Structure formats: C-alpha cells, structure tokens
C-alpha cells in the first residue's frame, strides 16, 4: 500500500476501527460485573485473546498505527505510547490471570477442601442419627418396659 493509499482512510474504515474499540471497551467494562473467580478468569482469557488480535491488527504494517503516522506525523509519539501500552496491558491481564490461578489453587482450594471435609462429617453424623433412629424403632423393648 502506498503512502497515498494509506492517507485515504475512508469513513467506513474509521467507523470499523471505532466500533472495534467500543467492543473492546465494553468487554473491559463488563469485567466489573463478573461474579466468581472462574467466570472472571474466562472473561479475562477471552478479553486477552481479543486484545491480542486487535493489537496485532493495529500494529501490522499498513495497520492503524501506520495509517495515523502517515496521515499526521505529529502523532508519532502518541502512537508509540499506545504501542507500549499494548504490551503493558497484555502483561497486566496475564498477571491477573496468574493471581486468579494462584488463588484458585491456593487459599480458595484450601477453603473448598475444608468445606468438603465438613460436609463429609455432617453427612456421617446424620447417617449415624438415621441408623440410630432406625435401630430404636425396630427394637422391641426398651428402658420404659417394665
């Protein structure tokens, strides 16, 4: 693509780029309402994949960043800052996913194990009570006979 071609950023292309930016911003916004670490991890993995594809398309030769630089050279510093933010944002998502994995495998896993052990003890207790009741009801004779 020639410089002249790049400078002919059409309204349609600009609208598509803005729509993609809005979709990603909406995905990011929706993270605030996600309940549960498992769901949050899935949402983050989906967002990360979407960001990776989106960032790659912006950074590709003749992509968004090249178009902006070719149309208006005064934005070179801003384009470079945004490119650096791409790397930082992906790292932040990865770090948050690592924290979620550690929590799910560590403290949360320990709490789940404790809850499971408690459930086992309660189930055994209730089974013993049921057995005792069944035995008492089937026994003909007791302390009150006399």
């Amino acid at each position: 693509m020639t410089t002249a071609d790049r400078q002919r950023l059409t309204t349609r292309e600009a609208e598509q780029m803005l729509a993609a930016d809005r979709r990603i911003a909406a995905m990011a916004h929706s993270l605030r309402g996600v309940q549960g670490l498992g769901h949050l991890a899935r949402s983050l993995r989906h967002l990360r994949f979407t960001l990776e594809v989106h960032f790659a398309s912006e950074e590709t030769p003749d992509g968004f960043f090249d178009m902006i630089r070719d149309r208006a050279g005064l934005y070179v510093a801003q384009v470079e800052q945004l490119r650096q933010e791409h790397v930082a944002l992906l790292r932040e998502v990865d770090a948050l996913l690592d924290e979620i994995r550690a929590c799910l495998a560590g403290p949360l896993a320990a709490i789940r194990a404790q809850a499971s052990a408690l459930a086992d003890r309660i189930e055994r207790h209730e089974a013993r009570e049921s057995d005792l009741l069944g035995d008492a009801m089937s026994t003909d004779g007791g302390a009150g006979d006399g």
Side-chain angles (χ1 to χ4, degrees), residues 1-10 67 70-72:
M1 184 180 278
T2 68
T3 301
D5 289 335
R6 281 190 225 125
Q7 289 178 340
R8 288 190 207 105
L9 179 62
T10 66
M67 285 188 242
D70 290 346
R71 288 181 63 83

Side-chain angles (χ1 to χ4, degrees), residues 14-131:
E15 287 172 355
Q16 288 173 340
M17 289 177 193
L18 290 172
D21 289 343
R22 284 191 298 270
R23 279 192 304 273
I24 289 172
M27 287 176 73
H29 179 78
S30 72
L31 292 176
R32 291 182 181 94
V34 175
Q35 299 294 315
L37 288 179
H39 293 297
L40 181 58
R42 280 190 292 283
S43 295
L44 281 169
R45 283 191 300 269
H46 179 66
L47 176 60
R48 191 196 191 291
F49 173 78
T50 303
L51 286 172
E52 196 169 24
V53 170
H54 178 72
F55 292 165
S57 73
E58 289 180 336
E59 294 178 14
T60 191
D62 297 329
F64 171 68
F65 287 163
D66 280 356
M67 285 188 242
I68 295 298
R69 274 194 305 267
D70 290 346
R71 288 181 63 83
L74 66 130
Y75 297 114
V76 170
Q78 290 175 340
V79 166
E80 187 52 36
Q81 180 182 358
L82 291 169
R83 184 187 313 272
Q84 290 173 8
E85 286 178 17
H86 285 179
V87 173
L89 290 168
L90 291 174
R91 280 187 189 145
E92 283 184 57
V93 172
D94 289 341
L96 187 52
L97 284 167
D98 287 344
E99 286 184 48
I100 290 171
R101 277 189 287 278
C103 188
L104 289 173
L108 195 53
I111 290 169
R112 285 185 182 147
Q114 289 173 344
S116 181
L118 175 61
D120 289 344
R121 288 192 302 278
I122 291 170
E123 289 170 354
R124 285 191 306 269
H125 171 87
E126 293 304 315
R128 286 194 318 271
E129 285 183 351
S130 295
D131 289 346

